[in-house]
Amino acid sequence: MEYQQIIESIYQTIQPYAKEGQQATYIPELAKVDPDQFGMCIHTIYGETAAIEKADTRFSIQSISKVFSLAICLSIKGDELWTRIGKEPSGTAFNSLLHLELEKGKPRNPFLNSGAIVMADILLSELANPEEDFLRFVRAVAGNDTIDYNREVAASERENGYLNAAIANLLKYHNNIDNDIESVLKFYFLMCSVEMSCRELSLAFLAFANHRRKFDYADIQLTSSQVKRINAIMQTCGFYDEAGEFSYLVGLPGKSGVGGGIVAIYPLLYSVAVWSPRLNAKGNSVMGLKALELFTSETKESIF
Ligand code: GLU
């Protein structure tokens, strides 16, 4: 498949959308990013790769980090994880408190902020050195030791993270947080602040695309079934309250973040990452969504 040619032509086609949407500003550090950037990179499990534009520029992965947290939590807790977090799509915004109150502090799924805050609590309890161990895992799965947190972004989010603090308090009230709220939120924001490029993200997610290869990175092991199940959750819950639309238009499991990144996988074939900071009203990258929709249309490869 001529992936390079395909993504170059897609980039031209999506130019009319270049000024649509707005970058996230509720995290003040993210408001400083130049919104008019775009990068895309694909890796196949057979070693083919294609990349365009800012594929090597690092950006804030934000909620994409929730996939890494889920991998570690599932490897440590196994199915017991689902006693504290559900695995149903929510149809509500990523930072919503709505279901959390009705469902007595059990988050609908691990990719909501509430679910990820519970995972941060689990990781704080279970990992010997949470900050180091999380980063060690991300570096190992991406095969790159220079990947790091951006502590300014994490601090900037902490200073303005009123909604996430409300979520953490509600979780604590319902006994779904063991550690103190301040440490849990601090660690949650830190995980969101990891910076990676499209090339690094698409390489990292090959580990999820290829569930037949042994998943064993920095002492985190998953079975083939666990990897497939993470992919299932990406399919149903990976795009905020737009997971149905993403499934309909793009048709791949994936995860987006408010930094403008999206990573998606085609099981047993490829992993693709795209980045552009301007977001639509639901929090997904406008150019990223368009690029992936065209990508799966033009390659005519579909899991359906
Ligand atoms: N750190 C962000 C928040 O909690 C992550 C949001 C996202 O990327 O969906 O609001």
Side-chain angles (χ1 to χ4, degrees):
M1 183 75 68
E2 286 302 321
Y3 290 121
Q4 186 66 36
Q5 234 172 294
I6 293 174
I7 61 177
E8 276 168 18
S9 122
I10 287 174
Y11 183 56
Q12 297 313 319
T13 314
I14 61 177
Q15 284 315 306
Y17 300 92
K19 296 281 176 190
E20 233 179 68
Q22 278 193 331
Q23 79 212 87
T25 51
Y26 75 99
I27 303 173
E29 278 297 306
L30 292 188
K32 296 181 186 164
V33 177
D34 171 7
D36 298 317
Q37 303 188 76
F38 179 90
M40 186 166 183
C41 182
I42 170 167
H43 282 92
T44 71
I45 66 167
Y46 305 109
E48 296 156 274
T49 181
I52 53 165
E53 296 294 313
K54 304 273 178 74
D56 292 299
T57 302
R58 284 186 175 159
F59 56 90
S60 200
I61 69 167
Q62 291 297 320
S63 276
I64 298 173
S65 66
K66 291 168 181 157
V67 182
F68 298 132
S69 313
L70 176 58
I72 307 178
C73 284
L74 209 50
S75 121
I76 295 173
K77 289 276 177 198
D79 280 348
E80 199 194 312
L81 180 66
W82 308 122
T83 59
R84 291 181 61 182
I85 308 172
K87 41 181 143 53
E88 292 297 336
S90 71
T92 56
F94 61 95
N95 50 11
S96 171
L97 286 152
L98 198 69
H99 290 133
L100 202 56
E101 181 168 19
L102 293 172
E103 292 163 12
K104 306 207 173 348
K106 182 172 178 182
R108 276 270 170 112
N109 69 65
F111 295 155
L112 289 164
N113 285 9
S114 51
I117 290 170
V118 171
M119 293 198 292
D121 180 57
I122 292 171
L123 296 179
L124 276 186
S125 300
E126 299 286 341
L127 298 175
N129 301 294
E131 287 189 16
E132 291 80 357
D133 294 347
F134 180 79
L135 197 56
R136 207 158 59 86
F137 169 69
V138 176
R139 287 174 169 175
V141 81
N144 185 325
D145 272 350
T146 66
I147 292 168
D148 217 334
Y149 300 116
N150 181 327
R151 289 178 189 273
E152 275 100 75
V153 170
S156 145
E157 187 168 10
R158 178 62 196 109
E159 280 158 30
N160 296 277
Y162 304 111
L163 211 44
N164 285 314
I167 290 172
N169 276 283
L170 199 49
L171 290 166
K172 184 84 178 170
Y173 172 80
H174 285 291
N175 297 316
N176 204 359
I177 284 201
D178 294 327
N179 296 281
D180 72 277
I181 289 176
E182 193 48 45
S183 326
V184 172
L185 282 172
K186 203 170 149 231
F187 186 46
Y188 165 72
F189 294 133
L190 195 63
M191 291 190 287
C192 289
S193 81
V194 167
E195 293 183 331
M196 292 170 77
S197 67
C198 288
R199 195 182 301 275
E200 289 159 353
L201 267 177
S202 77
L203 249 183
F205 273 69
L206 269 187
F208 298 97
N210 193 355
H211 59 262
R212 289 195 186 137
R213 190 175 64 183
K214 192 163 187 247
F215 192 108
D216 187 355
Y217 302 91
D219 303 323
I220 300 301
Q221 286 115 15
L222 292 172
T223 65
S224 163
S225 290
Q226 285 173 319
V227 173
K228 282 190 284 178
R229 286 171 183 158
I230 290 175
N231 297 344
I233 298 173
M234 281 200 263
Q235 182 84 41
T236 51
C237 311
F239 295 89
Y240 311 124
D241 44 344
E242 210 170 32
E245 186 75 0
F246 190 84
S247 240
Y248 181 80
L249 293 176
V250 179
L252 297 175
K255 185 73 199 87
S256 55
V258 294
I262 303 180
V263 59
I265 61 157
Y266 188 115
L268 300 178
L269 186 53
Y270 64 71
S271 162
V272 59
V274 60
W275 168 61
S276 185
R278 291 183 187 272
L279 310 176
N280 66 16
K282 306 265 165 122
N284 291 312
S285 167
V286 174
M287 292 274 268
L289 281 179
K290 212 61 210 165
L292 290 174
E293 179 190 343
L294 291 175
F295 185 72
T296 51
S297 303
E298 284 176 23
T299 53
K300 297 194 173 65
E301 292 161 337
S302 173
I303 64 172
F304 296 111

